[in-house]
């Protein structure tokens, strides 16, 4: 079964450093998402991306965050200057045709900011 | 340092019993609902979905019931197995311009052998 893959599975970084989280969505999917889950809390929406541009973003997704689809397969989330409160599990997801169809999630990248 | 534990609602069932996990949503404009299963260290895994023009949908061993009047959603798992042990989240989506899923808090299902 096709799946969304994320790398790395764990990322440890120092506060103020830049990190890039990588995702390979399912190949025929057109909508891409980033969600995050702080330990013990709900899964929260960060951003959705379609047709090479952001279609929606949450208030969490400030100017320290950016997304990119640099080629036909990868979808990345960059945090420019990490803060302690950015520590969370970051999930990439994709969906096939419409933003209203079911999302398939990757296994996540656990980001720890020290 | 002090640790903060998870305060998820927990449902403990015996293997073979049926499980019912409940979820309340607040946005009456929500028109699409999904149940996800999340095992430790993994991403949410799609289980079943339902649109607001339905009140029941069945899958393999799972049934989702939607009561729009009281804004309540439930997931029924028949003949619960140890492999069903996980955190279960409901998520809702308001149709139209947004494609942002809103997740619930989650329920920890613990299946006792």
């Amino acid at each position: 079964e096709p799946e969304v893959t994320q790398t790395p599975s764990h990322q440890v970084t120092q506060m103020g450093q830049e990190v890039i989280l990588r995702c390979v969505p399912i190949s025929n999917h057109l909508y891409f998402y980033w969600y995050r889950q702080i330990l013990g809390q709900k899964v929260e929406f960060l951003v959705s991306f379609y047709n090479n541009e952001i279609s929606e973003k949450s208030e969490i997704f400030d100017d320290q965050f950016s997304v990119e689809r640099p080629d036909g397969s990868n979808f990345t989330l960059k945090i420019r200057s990490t803060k302690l409160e950015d520590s969370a599990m970051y999930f990439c997801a994709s969906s096939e045709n419409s933003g209203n169809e079911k999302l398939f999630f990757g296994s996540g990248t656990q980001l720890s900011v020290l | 340092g002090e640790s903060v534990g998870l305060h998820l609602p927990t449902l403990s069932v015996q293997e073979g019993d049926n499980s019912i996990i409940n979820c309340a949503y607040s946005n009456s404009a929500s028109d699409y609902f999904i149940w996800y299963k999340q095992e430790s260290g993994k991403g949410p895994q799609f289980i079943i979905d339902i649109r607001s023009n339905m009140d029941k949908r069945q899958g393999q061993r799972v049934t989702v019931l939607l009561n729009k009047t009281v804004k309540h959603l439930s997931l029924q798992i028949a003949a619960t197995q140890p492999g069903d042990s996980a955190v279960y989240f409901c998520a809702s989506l308001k149709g139209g311009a947004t494609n942002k899923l809103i997740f619930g808090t989650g329920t920890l299902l613990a299946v006792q052998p």
Side-chain angles (χ1 to χ4, degrees), chain A residues 11-65:
Chain A
Q11 175 87 52
V12 180
T13 190
Q14 296 290 324
M15 189 171 57
Q17 295 296 303
E18 174 185 287
V19 294
I20 298 176
L21 309 183
R22 302 182 190 279
C23 170
V24 179
I26 294 173
S27 61
N28 64 332
H29 285 189
L30 300 177
Y31 286 76
F32 314 112
Y33 312 84
W34 284 100
Y35 284 75
R36 78 172 187 189
Q37 185 178 31
I38 295 171
L39 183 63
Q41 298 186 23
K42 298 179 186 181
V43 177
E44 301 174 289
F45 170 82
L46 292 179
V47 66
S48 58
F49 190 87
Y50 170 71
N51 199 26
N52 284 318
E53 61 183 27
I54 290 173
S55 50
E56 190 170 3
K57 60 183 181 179
S58 72
E59 60 276 9
I60 302 168
F61 194 89
D62 61 22
D63 57 8
Q64 293 299 309
F65 291 84

Side-chain angles (χ1 to χ4, degrees), chain B residues 18-88:
Chain B
N18 297 332
S19 303
I20 300 176
I21 301 171
N22 296 304
C23 176
Y25 63 95
S26 58
N27 190 346
S28 56
S30 296
D31 63 0
Y32 179 62
F33 304 87
I34 311 177
W35 279 100
Y36 282 95
K37 172 186 180 182
Q38 187 178 25
E39 297 173 282
S40 181
K42 296 185 179 180
Q45 178 187 0
F46 173 90
I47 302 174
I48 192 168
D49 59 357
I50 189 168
R51 298 200 180 272
S52 60
N53 60 352
M54 302 172 69
D55 53 20
K56 180 179 179 179
R57 190 159 188 231
Q58 288 186 287
Q60 186 179 15
R61 277 202 310 121
V62 294
T63 301
V64 55
L65 299 177
L66 175 63
N67 185 331
K68 294 182 287 295
T69 304
V70 295
K71 292 186 279 190
H72 183 269
L73 195 66
S74 68
L75 177 71
Q76 300 178 1
I77 304 174
T80 314
Q81 301 168 1
D84 295 327
S85 294
V87 177
Y88 289 80

Side-chain angles (χ1 to χ4, degrees), chain A residues 73-84:
Chain A
S73 60
N74 291 284
F75 179 54
T76 61
L77 174 69
K78 182 192 290 186
I79 308 175
R80 192 180 2 250
S81 177
T82 50
K83 304 186 286 287
L84 295 176

